Amino acid sequence: MDVADRAAASDGAFDGAFDWGLLEPAGADGGGLGDDAVLAAMIAVEQGLISAWAQLDGGAAPRVDRVRIDRDALRDGVRRDGVAVVDLVRQLREQVGDDADRVHRGATSQDVLDTALVLASRDALAAAGRELAVAGRALAALADVQRGTPVIARTLTQPAEPTTLGAESAAWLNAVTSALEALGGLAYPVQLGGAVGTGSAFVRISGREDAPRLLRAALARTLGLADPGRAWHTDRSPVLSIAAAAGHVCAAAGRIGRGLAFAARDGVLLPEHGGGSSAMPHKKNPVDAVILIANGLRAGGLIATLQTASLSFDARPAGEWHAEWQAWRGLLRLAVESAAVLARATADLVVHAPDASQPAPDADGDTAPDTALAAAGAVVDPALERFAALEGPERADRQDRIGEGV
């Protein structure tokens, strides 16, 4: 009897779900990237292609219904065909009956799955951007209020020289701002190239040499994605750009998580609502900080997978493209989770500042020079101004670019 069988036999509660959060403390935050969400994006792409064809030739534009999808048959099809699109197309064509030839017309599986994952990326990273902005506002307030609160900075784990809690918070804020800038600079391109990227089936079906260009543009408009002016089936630079931005979110949040964990260790910043311990009930662990660190550490391996898989070959490689799917989605989940956890963590901090009546010591135990603290305080305003530039008049435009990829 395997683990799943034992779980089912023990209480009847095991439902066969592969990942329901047992080992993913922030899994609920990334729940919008489950199989059903990706399936919905795939169906949106198929519906978008139907609409694009209708715009090109004035033909029928039947509507497909994701509620009627047989997931068991789809799962069997994935195992049989190696990709979910084959059986999905079969089911959608059955739905529309006489208009079956309008479904997936001239497209290939990679067109649908690549574009669906781009759609998922756009929505996931838009959510991450909103959470990062919340965290940024909390860090900006912390940096402003604590700009004169003295603490000892460390280098290579050892006490170095005086700084302020505001200056450390400003450094964290700068990391958030950089991640938001990375998200705002992303493009989310549609993928449409047909069997080998040339769009020859679109030309053959329509009798128009410009059909690939027109269909790609129409599909991009319908889905709210960018038109890259080309097929990128073996040029994985769009995937790497998305991965880099998602990784940037994880790295920024993970770096702040480390800072929060060390600050809790030193008794400077503590979570108001810490986590418990099975062995030491007196502890109030900085669980959010731990999750942020863990997610940041995990992200690098997923980025490495996508980077390695980008060395594509032929018109569709055997294995490299397939290796991307879970790594791509997994990285998006980590970015969304990290941003959401960071927003909660920065809203849950309690400052335990040193006694203001006592002069702050420097690394040697002597009184900290005023010049050191003044220099530390001076880094706060530039960080606040940089973040405010994103939160000001440019904020709406930035959110549009994060959400629409244009």
Side-chain angles (χ1 to χ4, degrees):
M1 180 180 290
D2 63 17
V3 174
D5 290 336
R6 284 196 296 272
S10 64
D11 60 8
F14 187 82
D15 63 2
F18 179 73
D19 183 356
W20 46 269
L22 182 67
L23 301 180
E24 190 77 38
D29 295 306
L33 287 159
D35 282 354
D36 279 344
V38 176
L39 175 59
M42 292 167 62
I43 294 172
V45 175
E46 293 286 4
Q47 186 69 67
L49 184 59
I50 292 171
S51 174
W53 270 108
Q55 294 175 52
L56 181 69
D57 64 11
R63 301 294 301 178
V64 295
D65 183 1
R66 69 177 182 177
V67 175
R68 294 168 55 191
I69 295 298
D70 182 340
R71 284 161 176 75
D72 289 335
L74 196 61
R75 184 180 56 218
D76 292 343
V78 173
R79 180 64 186 89
R80 179 185 63 247
D81 306 314
V83 64
V85 180
V86 178
D87 196 74
L88 175 63
V89 169
R90 178 190 64 78
Q91 293 192 42
L92 295 179
R93 284 174 171 164
E94 287 182 357
Q95 282 188 21
V96 301
D98 292 342
D99 291 320
D101 67 331
R102 306 294 295 185
V103 175
H104 199 69
R105 204 177 195 193
T108 192
S109 297
Q110 189 169 3
D111 294 331
V112 175
L113 191 50
D114 276 356
T115 303
L117 288 173
V118 170
L119 277 174
S121 300
R122 180 196 66 186
D123 295 345
L125 294 181
R130 291 190 292 271
E131 296 285 9
L132 282 179
V134 172
R137 290 191 283 274
L139 289 172
L142 182 65
D144 191 25
V145 172
Q146 304 297 333
R147 65 173 65 222
T149 302
V151 294
I152 291 294
R154 294 174 183 267
T155 61
L156 301 182
T157 77
Q158 299 304 299
E161 65 179 35
T163 185
T164 68
L165 182 55
E168 291 189 342
S169 302
W172 300 340
L173 177 61
N174 273 322
V176 167
T177 303
S178 293
L180 285 169
E181 289 174 344
L183 293 180
L186 272 180
Y188 296 95
V190 72
Q191 161 63 26
L192 188 66
V196 297
T198 62
S200 61
F202 304 135
V203 175
R204 184 177 65 254
I205 293 169
S206 67
R208 298 182 56 156
E209 294 293 330
D210 59 356
R213 175 177 61 83
L214 295 175
L215 287 169
R216 185 180 60 245
L219 181 60
R221 286 194 303 271
T222 299
L223 297 176
L225 297 177
D227 178 0
R230 71 187 194 283
W232 46 271
H233 58 305
T234 53
D235 169 17
R236 308 310 284 172
S237 54
V239 182
L240 295 181
S241 295
I242 290 170
H248 202 146
V249 173
C250 296
R255 184 264 177 273
I256 296 169
R258 282 199 189 277
L260 294 177
F262 290 153
R265 178 193 63 184
D266 295 338
V268 176
L269 281 176
L270 294 172
E272 184 175 359
H273 304 94
S277 165
S278 64
M280 294 169 282
H282 65 281
K283 294 184 70 182
K284 185 181 281 190
N285 293 321
V287 172
D288 286 342
V290 171
I291 293 172
L292 294 173
I293 298 167
N295 282 4
L297 293 171
R298 293 166 61 192
L302 300 176
I303 293 172
T305 296
L306 293 171
Q307 178 71 42
T308 302
S310 70
L311 273 67
S312 191
F313 63 91
D314 291 339
R316 188 174 304 107
E320 280 77 1
W321 176 54
H322 308 75
E324 288 181 350
W325 305 341
Q326 286 283 45
W328 188 345
R329 178 170 66 170
L331 189 55
L332 294 175
R333 290 188 64 172
L334 289 180
V336 173
E337 290 175 12
S338 293
V341 172
L342 182 63
R344 288 197 297 271
T346 52
D348 192 46
L349 296 175
V350 177
V351 178
H352 291 267
D355 185 353
S357 66
Q358 299 297 318
D362 63 17
D364 296 321
D366 297 327
T367 300
D370 291 339
T371 53
L373 295 181
V379 307
V380 172
D381 285 333
L384 297 180
E385 292 165 3
R386 182 171 173 240
F387 178 70
L390 292 180
E391 287 288 282
E394 297 85 358
R395 181 183 178 191
D397 178 63
R398 175 177 58 81
Q399 288 297 336
D400 286 345
R401 284 185 284 114
I402 290 175
E404 298 180 9
V406 296

